[in-house]
Structures are given as structure tokens and as C-alpha cells.
Amino acid sequence: MRQGPTVRDIAAQAGVSIATVSRVLNDQEHVAPGTRELVQQAIDELGGRAPRRRPSRAGAVFVRCPYLLTDYFGLIVSSIAETLDLHGLQLVLNAGEAAQETPVLGTLPARPGIAGAIVVLPPEPGADLVALQETGFPLVVVDPREEVPRDIAAVSAAHFAGARSLTAHLTALGHRRIGLLAGPDNWLASSARRAGHVSALADAGVLLESRLAIPGEPTVRFGFQAAQRLLSVGDRPTALVCFNDKVASGALAAAVQLGLRVPEDVSIGGFDDIDLAQATRPALTTVRQPLAEMGRIAVGLLVRILDRHRLEALHVELATDLIIRDSTGPAPR
């Protein structure tokens, strides 16, 4: 029995890429009408039927979250798992820090039984995500580490607005000398939150002093060391804005070790509102990210892609909430 042409055959005949043929066969957008006609003409010229598309929901969803599934990441992945189950979709989980060393994205289109993927804060360069998307493989990114093209589905929190609200809260309390314990310089969330912080300072007529901003890994250890550095000088800041709640808890410990009272001597704010934020003493003022909702939205986007629905908004940014607790107060006189 004569077999139909392969995707590679069609691409060669039409003079286009395999990725373009895949997008045409899967009825995806972002293909020019003339290109669609070229692909269809190549299929007709080669004879036989085009390769059959696999059913949109056939297979499991590959969830890549190459980190320890505690706090932040655990909440997102748990939400993804629960929502996939509601849609009757199975989950293949790739997690743990060791998974960062294993290149898996490029292998996904050829893996049997995998319908699509959700990747959380992917450590891979953006070019790897683009290469995967160009194959026509269904993909959603949660909290992208760097900027992703507009035609890749992504969901994140409103980092700029969240950080701006926290710093504006502090300036309203009279703080003008505010330290920033930022995240890694190459993270999209870090640059967005720094911009929000700078914007709120500008509204109060203040410029961010470069020596008051310290980037680093979002860990308790970094928060402790960076806060010690800023709070040990004579002209110390009266408040610290931290990249996340872990960094903020480290900053709290540093303040206590230095004999400073929180918030009487120094105010400290975090980001995320994980359980740790309410377990510290004093409890942390922080910016709440809708982590569970981010997971649910990611699954919703992927399901619509699998069902070949038109997506009007490929980049979804969810609102954050400022949660005021006991770690912030009026600037000391």
C-alpha cells in the first residue's frame, strides 16, 4: 500500500521549513495564506494524503519545573496537576534541581504519548523555547525567566505593578532611603520589579542609589547577607524591599542580629505571600502572587491550544495584591 508524503517531503517540495508545514497541517495561525497554498500544492503534487494529525487531546502533558517543589513552585505545580485532572489529562512531571542539567525541550515533539507541555520558569535560553514552538508543539510558559515572543503562550504575575505597590506603601509611610534586595539580574521578574520600585520612588521624588540595590539568588542566605551589608553602615536605609519572602525572612534575621527592631528601626517587605510570610515574627508585609491561579490559567491556555481554539491573548498577566502586615511601619525620625 502506497504511503502518503512525509512532512519532510512536503517541506522540500514547497521550499519551506518543516516547522511551517507542521503549523499548516495543525491549522495553526501565523502562516501567510500564500504559504498555506504552497504547502497544499506540494501535497497535491506529491500525491496521496498529508500526514494525519494526531488527535488534539491524545497523550499526557509534560510539566517541567526543574526546581525543588516547595513553597512557590509546589503551589504552582499542585494547581497544574489538579486542573489537568479536571480536564481528564495525565501529567508527566519533570522536576528537581538535577533536571536543570538535562536538556529535554528539544526531545518533546518526538516523545510518544506527549500531547503538549507546560514549563515553569524555564532555565533554558529563549531560543530553545522558540525552536520548540516552531515545530508546532503545544507549549505554555509559566513565569518566563526571560522575554518570550508574542506567539508563545505565557502566564505570569504583574511584577511591575506589585513591586510598585509595595514601594509606594513605604514612601507613604515616610520612607525615602529604601534598599532593594533584588533577584538575579537576568530574570525578567527581577527587571520588572526593579522598574516598579524605581517608578514608585520617582513618584516620591527619590532616585534609587545604585549602592542600595543588591542583586542575588532568591534565597534566605542571600537576604541575610545583603541585609547585613546594607544595615551595617551608618547611613543605613530605613526600609528594605526584597525580591521574595525567602529573601525577606533572611533580612529579618539580619536585622535582629544587628539589634534593630522591625518595623520601628527598619521596615521589611517581601513578595509572593507564601506560608513563610505569616510564620515570621513580625509577620511580613508582602505582595501576593496568585500562584494557584497561574497554574490553572496555564492549563486552560494549553487545553485551548490542544483543541485548536483561537487565542486572542497569548500573554496573560495576573494582578497581584499588597498584603500589609506587621513588618512595615512609619519611617523612624
Side-chain angles (χ1 to χ4, degrees):
M1 182 177 178
R2 185 175 181 274
Q3 294 183 341
T6 66
V7 172
R8 187 178 297 277
D9 294 336
I10 298 168
Q13 181 73 12
V16 298
S17 68
I18 292 174
T20 297
V21 174
S22 177
R23 284 196 289 270
V24 171
L25 295 176
N26 287 284
D27 293 334
Q28 293 187 356
E29 300 178 38
H30 311 296
V31 180
T35 304
R36 287 187 188 276
E37 291 180 10
L38 278 176
V39 172
Q40 187 58 55
Q41 183 179 345
I43 294 170
D44 295 339
E45 291 172 351
L46 290 170
R49 296 182 178 179
R52 293 181 62 188
R53 297 176 298 179
R54 62 182 175 185
S56 59
R57 295 285 191 93
V61 172
F62 189 90
V63 177
R64 176 162 167 78
C65 183
Y67 309 94
L68 293 178
L69 298 185
T70 58
D71 306 319
Y72 179 91
F73 296 110
L75 288 168
I76 294 175
V77 172
S78 295
S79 176
I80 289 172
E82 292 170 355
T83 311
L84 286 174
D85 186 60
L86 289 174
H87 285 279
L89 290 167
Q90 293 184 324
L91 177 150
V92 175
L93 180 61
N94 176 249
E97 292 181 338
Q100 293 185 22
E101 308 304 320
T102 306
V104 298
L105 293 187
T107 70
L108 293 180
R111 288 199 182 193
I114 300 297
I118 297 174
V119 293
V120 182
L121 193 65
E124 293 85 2
D128 289 0
L129 297 174
V130 172
L132 178 59
Q133 190 265 351
E134 286 182 344
T135 68
F137 186 80
L139 170 71
V140 176
V141 181
V142 177
D143 199 10
R145 183 176 285 196
E146 58 182 78
E147 201 77 52
V148 295
R150 296 304 303 175
D151 58 347
I152 294 181
V155 56
S156 62
H159 298 294
F160 175 92
R164 191 177 189 283
S165 69
L166 176 57
T167 300
H169 162 67
L170 292 169
T171 58
L173 290 170
H175 295 275
R176 293 296 181 269
R177 189 169 177 76
I178 302 174
L180 176 64
L181 307 191
D185 279 335
N186 60 340
W187 284 20
L188 186 62
S190 299
S191 58
R193 293 180 194 177
R194 183 188 180 104
H197 175 66
V198 169
S199 174
L201 286 178
D203 285 346
V206 178
L207 294 177
L208 174 64
E209 294 182 43
S210 59
R211 70 187 187 91
L212 291 182
I214 304 177
E217 293 300 313
T219 63
V220 174
R221 180 182 178 87
F222 163 69
F224 181 84
Q225 294 175 339
Q228 268 198 328
R229 176 176 158 187
L230 289 178
L231 297 177
S232 297
V233 297
D235 192 16
R236 65 172 182 260
T238 63
L240 297 176
V241 167
C242 302
F243 179 77
N244 66 7
D245 294 338
K246 288 184 177 181
V247 173
S249 70
L252 280 171
V256 170
Q257 187 179 87
L258 292 170
L260 299 174
R261 299 167 299 162
V262 178
E264 292 83 359
D265 299 320
V266 59
S267 289
I268 296 175
F271 210 104
D272 290 344
D273 196 29
I274 58 177
D275 289 345
L276 177 63
Q278 297 184 60
T280 59
R281 291 293 177 269
L284 273 174
T285 291
T286 187
V287 176
R288 177 179 294 161
Q289 287 200 75
L291 300 177
E293 186 64 13
M294 286 165 63
R296 288 189 285 267
I297 293 291
V299 173
L301 287 171
L302 183 63
V303 167
R304 293 178 65 192
I305 293 171
L306 291 172
D307 289 344
R308 301 189 179 90
H309 292 169
R310 178 183 294 274
L311 297 182
E312 293 292 336
L314 281 169
H315 284 201
V316 179
E317 188 176 88
L318 302 181
T320 56
D321 292 307
L322 176 64
I323 309 300
I324 300 175
R325 297 195 179 101
D326 300 329
S327 66
T328 53
R333 295 184 178 181

